[in-house]
Amino acid sequence: MEWIIETEGLTRFYGHQKVVDTVNLRIPRGCVYGLLGRNGAGKTTLIKMLMGVIFPDRGRIRIRGKDFSELSPDWRQNVAYMPEGHPLFGWMTVQGAVDFSRSFYPAWNNDLVLRLLDHFKLPLKKRIRSLSRGQRAQAALALAVAPDPDVFILDDPTLGLDTVVRREFLESLIQIIQRSGRTILFSSHILGDVERIADRIGILVDGVLRVDCSTEQFKESLRKVVLEVFWNTSMLARHSWLVGAKSGSSRCELVIAGYNETHRAQLEVLAPCRIVEIEMNLEDAFIEYTRSSNNSVHLLFEEHSPGGAK
Amino acid sequence: MRMALVKKEISELFYPGLIALAVLLFQVGLLTHWSFLTRVPLFSLFKIHLGELASVPFQDGRMHTGLALVGGALLACMAFWQTLAAERQGTFPFLLHLPFSRVELFLTKMIAAMGVYFPVLLAPVLVYGWWASVPGHHPSPFDWSMLDRPFWLIFSLPILYFTWMIIYLLQGINFGMRLLPLVTATFLMFVCFDFSLWWLWRFLLIVLIEAALILVICNLAEERDF
């Protein structure tokens, strides 16, 4: 399997705070990888380290099997990077931004960029600063696609976009993904978007990559189990598989990581009146998993299947 | 492709450069024949400090004052725009993702800034020099060698630009400590203006200081987080 991005023990401190903690990440060719985490979890820091904008304090990064320190600046010609907030030069016109970017990339596809700008109905003579946030995101996407890169690294690309624009943006992104062999790493807070397009997800909690598995496996692994009981549930908190527990007078809601028959047998020993298993969507699963105060919570890792992406 | 980056940098520095040029040309106007302007209350300040018709061009220090003030402000402004302002606008990740090394990127920025700075400061000096060289414009002798002081000033002022770049690029140090390089640079500027030094020593001293500052900037750019 060809790894496009590999990190080994990647660690970064801001002052005394460890914002990225020993992250081992491997993204194969053709994978669409969604990087999730709450605000301040370390997503942007991790992406910036992958792009060489900031440096790790410890650990290694390999891009296409080559150590980061050995890469010449030309490697960036095949990697599209959309930083958070789509920073472009506000004083440039859309046409000016196209002309400026074009000169740096030998494989620049000007027809494609013009078609995309036309599709997005972006006026070429308008200044970037007078575009709406959605239009700026679209302009940034068109500029990112034009050099025909193999790898896309997008830091919260739909941040601040309204629902309609976000949907249009994602549809464009899906069209781009459809070209086989392209690898995409993107971070997002919109779990619905991630569910739609990601093959695989990674969840950062306080800088630690606690989940690295397929989207389906994550949803299947995390299960909400409702028990109708008459006893105190505090004893359950000791288990590492217990992500969260809420108890009422006669009802107890448990969220369990890596739910399987063993867990069910353990719960049945507690003699509840009834056990109800509820499947969760990605958003619910993410919320339950990341709001857990249990730092020793079960880690979800799944080996990459041969062939990488689904 | 480097030209595209140079053009972009020059476009961003165009308006500060234009303003500086306008101010300096206005001063040249006051120093030559526009002394009537100093009767306007707004411009009376210039009459005292800069604008009174010079008896001996380039020898009374008024042109130098203007050059130092306007040039210093322009250089600080350009360094600010190319570092802190770009960082605040979040455009550094975009620039750093271009297929350049960080050193190339910052060298291009510095070349562009110098490409704006030198014409803006040299043009008024040359205009004033041309005016002074025409017989009958003023009652004193004139020789082109009288321009050496403004030229030395223009040549050494970029020390301030490089220092401001360093100040803006330094991270994690309080602003008071960051200003230390500026104090050092100001001291070095005075040393560079020691006209008892042979011109070649002075020239080499300025070149050495500027080269050292450029090296520090390249080193900071290589190792800094953006």
Side-chain angles (χ1 to χ4, degrees):
Chain A
M1 191 177 292
E2 186 192 354
W3 304 111
I4 297 295
I5 296 167
E6 286 173 273
T7 71
E8 216 177 278
L10 208 61
T11 303
R12 169 73 201 205
F13 289 85
Y14 281 146
H16 294 294
Q17 197 193 349
K18 212 186 251 185
V19 283
V20 172
D21 188 357
T22 330
V23 169
N24 298 310
L25 183 70
R26 288 198 302 176
I27 302 175
R29 176 178 287 283
C31 179
V32 180
Y33 195 100
L35 189 61
L36 308 175
R38 297 175 67 176
N39 289 338
K43 303 183 296 293
T44 296
T45 305
L46 177 59
I47 287 178
K48 280 184 166 182
M49 282 195 283
L50 294 176
M51 290 290 92
V53 176
I54 62 174
F55 297 106
D57 291 312
R58 281 202 295 268
R60 293 174 66 183
I61 301 169
R62 276 191 290 272
I63 306 284
R64 293 196 180 92
K66 246 187 159 179
D67 199 86
F68 201 86
S69 56
E70 294 166 11
L71 292 167
S72 75
D74 293 344
W75 73 273
R76 299 191 200 108
Q77 286 178 342
N78 292 319
V79 178
Y81 170 42
M82 278 174 66
E84 193 176 12
H86 319 292
L88 295 170
F89 300 101
W91 56 270
M92 284 186 186
T93 60
V94 175
Q95 180 69 59
V98 171
D99 294 339
F100 174 66
S101 304
R102 182 169 51 184
S103 54
F104 301 103
Y105 300 97
W108 185 267
N109 187 339
N110 212 43
D111 287 342
L112 175 66
V113 78
L114 291 177
R115 262 188 288 131
L116 275 171
L117 293 173
D118 185 50
H119 170 73
F120 294 140
K121 297 185 176 60
L122 288 176
L124 290 171
K125 287 185 179 161
K126 212 167 178 185
R127 288 200 189 276
I128 300 279
R129 69 166 155 255
S130 58
L131 298 177
S132 69
R133 215 180 266 192
Q135 286 177 316
R136 213 178 309 162
Q138 289 168 332
L141 182 65
L143 293 174
V145 175
D148 197 23
D150 298 334
V151 183
F152 284 77
I153 298 190
L154 317 171
D155 191 0
D156 220 341
T158 55
L159 180 74
L161 307 187
D162 70 43
T163 317
V164 176
V165 177
R166 211 182 73 229
R167 177 60 65 93
E168 283 174 1
F169 182 90
L170 280 176
E171 277 163 7
S172 311
L173 197 60
I174 289 167
Q175 280 182 2
I176 291 160
I177 294 167
Q178 278 168 351
R179 207 199 84 173
S180 60
R182 274 184 166 158
T183 309
I184 298 182
L185 166 67
F186 73 105
S187 69
S188 182
H189 287 285
I190 316 287
L191 280 294
D193 297 351
V194 178
E195 200 164 8
R196 282 182 69 201
I197 63 172
D199 305 321
R200 199 171 170 88
I201 57 165
I203 297 181
L204 280 169
V205 180
D206 297 331
V208 179
L209 188 68
R210 302 196 74 87
V211 173
D212 180 16
C213 61
S214 68
T215 314
E216 287 308 311
Q217 204 226 337
F218 179 68
K219 285 194 294 182
E220 281 165 20
S221 302
L222 231 62
R223 196 62 55 88
K224 186 179 270 184
V225 180
V226 180
L227 304 178
E228 287 181 9
V229 287
F230 297 101
W231 37 263
N232 192 328
T233 57
S234 59
M235 55 191 280
L236 287 164
R238 283 194 297 273
H239 290 283
S240 67
W241 44 261
L242 191 62
V243 173
K246 270 191 276 183
S247 53
S249 55
S250 61
R251 189 182 149 93
C252 171
E253 277 184 23
L254 307 174
V255 178
I256 296 169
Y259 186 73
N260 56 31
E261 284 306 309
T262 318
H263 295 128
R264 190 177 169 94
Q266 278 181 306
L267 293 175
E268 276 170 354
V269 168
L270 300 170
C273 306
R274 205 154 73 102
I275 300 179
V276 183
E277 292 167 17
I278 301 168
E279 280 191 22
M280 289 187 285
N281 63 20
L282 182 64
E283 185 159 338
D284 292 337
F286 171 79
I287 290 168
E288 294 294 349
Y289 192 84
T290 53
R291 79 173 167 199
S292 165
S293 57
N294 185 1
N295 284 332
S296 60
V297 75
H298 191 82
L299 301 175
L300 290 167
F301 284 91
E302 178 196 44
E303 280 305 306
H304 291 265
S305 56
K310 67 183 174 186
Chain B
M1 62 183 177
R2 275 163 194 81
M3 270 319 289
L5 195 58
V6 172
K7 268 168 69 181
K8 178 231 140 212
E9 291 293 328
I10 288 179
S11 305
E12 288 182 342
L13 303 175
F14 179 75
Y15 287 107
L18 196 66
I19 292 167
L21 182 65
V23 172
L24 287 172
L25 286 175
F26 177 72
Q27 191 206 349
V28 169
L30 293 177
L31 289 169
T32 54
H33 271 315
W34 301 351
S35 53
F36 66 90
L37 273 177
T38 57
R39 280 178 232 130
V40 180
L42 185 69
F43 300 125
S44 57
L45 201 66
F46 288 94
K47 185 179 178 182
I48 301 161
H49 295 291
L50 308 168
E52 219 169 324
L53 193 65
S55 52
V56 187
F58 297 110
Q59 298 303 301
D60 55 8
R62 277 177 291 186
M63 186 72 204
H64 304 59
T65 313
L67 284 174
L69 289 176
V70 176
L74 173 66
L75 291 168
C77 171
M78 290 197 297
F80 171 79
W81 186 260
Q82 291 183 313
T83 50
L84 273 194
E87 189 154 42
R88 296 277 152 81
Q89 289 163 3
T91 49
F92 265 126
F94 180 85
L95 282 178
L96 293 172
H97 191 63
L98 296 175
F100 286 128
S101 70
R102 288 175 170 212
V103 169
E104 279 178 288
L105 176 70
F106 273 83
L107 282 177
T108 310
K109 276 178 177 284
M110 289 187 265
I111 289 167
M114 292 303 105
V116 171
Y117 164 78
F118 279 109
V120 164
L121 265 80
L122 282 173
V125 171
L126 293 174
V127 168
Y128 188 36
W130 167 80
W131 174 85
S133 70
V134 176
H137 275 171
H138 58 92
S140 55
F142 175 78
D143 186 86
W144 282 100
S145 65
M146 288 157 77
L147 267 68
D148 70 337
R149 278 180 184 252
F151 283 157
W152 280 113
L153 180 71
I154 291 169
F155 183 46
S156 59
L157 263 184
I159 291 175
L160 287 179
Y161 165 79
F162 298 125
T163 310
W164 276 114
M165 289 284 275
I166 291 170
I167 290 168
Y168 294 141
L169 286 173
L170 281 172
Q171 276 180 320
I173 303 171
N174 69 51
F175 201 71
M177 288 292 281
R178 286 197 221 175
L179 287 177
L180 268 180
L182 191 64
V183 176
T184 317
T186 313
F187 171 73
L188 290 173
M189 292 269 300
F190 278 110
V191 174
C192 293
F193 262 78
D194 178 4
F195 278 83
S196 62
L197 280 174
W198 184 37
W199 72 267
L200 187 61
W201 290 133
R202 206 175 331 129
F203 174 78
L204 288 175
L205 182 67
I206 294 171
V207 168
L208 272 177
I209 293 169
E210 290 182 348
L213 292 172
I214 291 170
L215 277 177
V216 174
I217 291 168
C218 292
N219 194 45
L220 277 172
E222 276 281 272
E223 293 181 357
R224 186 188 190 273
D225 294 330
F226 286 93

